[in-house]
Amino acid sequence: MGRWEPNARGRLGRAAMELYVERGFDQTTVAEIAEQAGLTKRTFFRHYADKRDVLFAGMAPLREVVVRAVAEAPASLPPFAVVSLGLEAAAEMIQERPEDVKMRQAVIDAHLELQERELVKLAALAADIAAALRGRGLDAWPARLVAEAGMAAFRVAFARWIANSAEGLLTQVVRESMEELEATVTGG
Amino acid sequence: MGRWEPNARGRLGRAAMELYVERGFDQTTVAEIAEQAGLTKRTFFRHYADKRDVLFAGMAPLREVVVRAVAEAPASLPPFAVVSLGLEAAAEMIQERPEDVKMRQAVIDAHLELQERELVKLAALAADIAAALRGRGLDAWPARLVAEAGMAAFRVAFARWIANSAEGLLTQVVRESMEELEATVTGG
DNA sequence: GCATCAATGACACTTGGTGTCATCACCCTA
DNA sequence: TAGGGTGATGACACCAAGTGTCATTGATGC
């Protein structure tokens, strides 16, 4: 038993999510989050960079999974197929907890400032993918191009999956989105 | 001669840009901007939603140009070609003042919070394009998909144009980026 | 001249976020 | 077993972004 209750970060994160869902993101102050977690405002900012960071702290493992999938994809695969593989791996991870994901997304979709943060995080993910592609020998600009285009397809697939609960597995929607992109860009 | 100097909004915008360039975005307070423009902090927020808004207020005409180009494109053109046309129209507009654009972009690239805002603005532009495509009879999800993919190619082209001053006309870089996307997605 | 209106100023207030120092439990070592 | 780090937290002051509200002021229309 420590002087402090264990898992301060986890308590803060849970308290924040509860309040964000209950009363909305901007009707929640950091002081309230900290109080609910039995801590102080200052301590909140020691665990999370800012109020929005709570919603996006879980993306780190996602990045690892995607980058590994891209790096370990068969050398014979064309770049776009490699990106597709990586993003399907992400989809697999995401769809493990559909309810949590959808609740989180509802909070994000209700606040522009959270969508801003979401977009930079996804852009960072695209940059990671591009770096992994460069590691496979692809030139910098083509790598970035195919990574960003893949992320675009992924974003649309994710939105579609969120919007339509009967949509099935996210991996499947992502794969379809990739194929549809290929078809429509080719001249469909 | 009014009680107040004319063009308060313009003065605020110019003052803000000067200070952002001179000393950096977050070393500039709204009070300083207002003072330099001969106004008060409160008046700044009557003309701009927030400190970042100054950098993105000029995007409205861009949206109009792109949406019109998409709406008026020949009916026979496939969707991706239509998006390409729209974004080339945007490129044409942007490349009219290369120095201003590059200075503005240098400020944005130096601050993550500004990149956040840039990404939502571009996402909004993609949403506008998707809406224009729906107006041409395309279904919602494919419209969004091709609009987002086109914006991805545009973003990469723009970054490439900014990074390489000898790159020539932005319209040309955008067109090449679109073609490269098509080639690489098809299986290059 | 007089009422109205739009733009600005003045001012208080909330909140996010940071800097700084004190405190307290735990651990290691002599 | 005493004592000195160490790391996490609390306490507190502080700055700057952004908002609500009311007063002021010049222009405009009647």
Side-chain angles (χ1 to χ4, degrees):
Chain A
M1 283 292 294
R3 150 125 168 57
W4 304 285
E5 299 300 316
N7 195 21
R9 182 185 171 90
R11 272 154 50 216
L12 285 166
R14 182 193 308 269
M17 273 304 300
E18 285 175 7
L19 290 172
Y20 292 170
V21 170
E22 259 182 42
R23 67 177 75 166
F25 176 77
D26 41 35
Q27 299 308 314
T28 304
T29 71
V30 174
E32 290 167 341
I33 297 170
E35 188 188 15
Q36 175 142 338
L39 294 164
T40 64
K41 186 180 101 175
R42 194 65 185 86
T43 297
F44 176 91
F45 287 110
R46 287 195 179 99
H47 288 280
Y48 295 98
D50 53 52
K51 217 177 130 181
R52 299 181 250 173
D53 193 34
V54 180
L55 277 302
F56 302 95
M59 283 193 64
L62 209 64
R63 292 174 66 163
E64 287 178 29
V65 164
V66 175
V67 166
R68 177 174 316 162
V70 168
E72 293 176 353
S76 61
L77 242 45
F80 187 68
V82 172
V83 172
S84 188
L85 265 190
L87 292 174
E88 285 167 37
E92 204 164 346
M93 195 170 193
I94 290 172
Q95 70 192 3
E96 284 176 7
R97 296 178 187 76
E99 285 74 20
D100 290 352
V101 170
K102 286 172 184 177
M103 179 165 292
R104 169 181 172 276
Q105 199 60 31
V107 174
I108 293 174
D109 289 344
H111 299 278
L112 198 60
E113 25 180 347
L114 295 174
Q115 294 162 40
E116 291 190 338
R117 180 60 56 86
E118 184 182 37
L119 287 174
V120 284
K121 290 294 185 182
L122 291 178
L125 183 53
D128 287 345
I129 294 175
L133 289 174
R134 286 199 304 276
R136 296 170 59 92
L138 200 58
D139 286 341
W141 291 115
R144 184 159 166 191
L145 182 61
V146 66
E148 297 257 13
M151 275 299 316
F154 178 85
R155 281 206 309 272
V156 174
F158 182 69
R160 193 168 172 164
W161 182 69
I162 291 284
N164 187 349
S165 298
E167 195 74 72
L169 291 179
L170 178 57
T171 47
Q172 182 62 22
V173 185
V174 167
R175 199 171 304 133
E176 287 167 6
S177 187
M178 295 291 173
E179 286 165 5
E180 190 172 352
L181 175 60
E182 189 171 339
T184 184
V185 156
T186 306
Chain B
M1 285 288 295
R3 151 122 170 56
W4 303 285
E5 300 299 316
N7 194 22
R9 183 186 170 89
R11 273 153 52 215
L12 286 165
R14 183 194 307 270
M17 272 305 299
E18 285 174 8
L19 291 172
Y20 292 170
V21 170
E22 259 182 41
R23 67 177 73 168
F25 176 77
D26 40 33
Q27 299 307 314
T28 304
T29 71
V30 174
E32 289 168 342
I33 297 170
E35 188 188 16
Q36 175 143 338
L39 295 165
T40 65
K41 186 181 100 175
R42 194 65 185 86
T43 297
F44 176 90
F45 288 111
R46 287 196 181 98
H47 288 279
Y48 295 98
D50 54 51
K51 222 177 125 182
R52 299 181 251 174
D53 192 36
V54 180
L55 278 301
F56 301 95
M59 283 193 65
L62 209 63
R63 292 174 66 163
E64 288 177 29
V65 165
V66 174
V67 167
R68 177 173 317 161
V70 168
E72 293 176 352
S76 62
L77 240 47
F80 186 68
V82 172
V83 172
S84 188
L85 265 189
L87 292 174
E88 285 168 36
E92 204 164 349
M93 194 171 194
I94 290 172
Q95 71 192 3
E96 282 176 7
R97 296 178 188 76
E99 284 74 21
D100 290 351
V101 170
K102 285 172 185 177
M103 181 165 291
R104 169 181 172 277
Q105 200 60 31
V107 174
I108 293 174
D109 288 345
H111 300 276
L112 198 59
E113 26 179 347
L114 294 175
Q115 295 162 40
E116 291 190 339
R117 179 61 55 88
E118 184 181 36
L119 287 175
V120 284
K121 291 292 186 181
L122 292 178
L125 182 53
D128 287 344
I129 293 175
L133 288 175
R134 288 199 302 275
R136 296 169 59 93
L138 199 58
D139 286 340
W141 290 115
R144 184 159 168 193
L145 182 62
V146 65
E148 297 257 13
M151 276 299 316
F154 178 85
R155 281 206 310 272
V156 174
F158 182 70
R160 191 167 175 165
W161 182 69
I162 291 285
N164 188 349
S165 299
E167 195 74 70
L169 291 179
L170 179 56
T171 47
Q172 183 61 25
V173 185
V174 166
R175 197 170 307 133
E176 288 168 5
S177 187
M178 295 292 173
E179 286 166 5
E180 190 172 352
L181 174 59
E182 189 171 339
T184 185
V185 157
T186 305

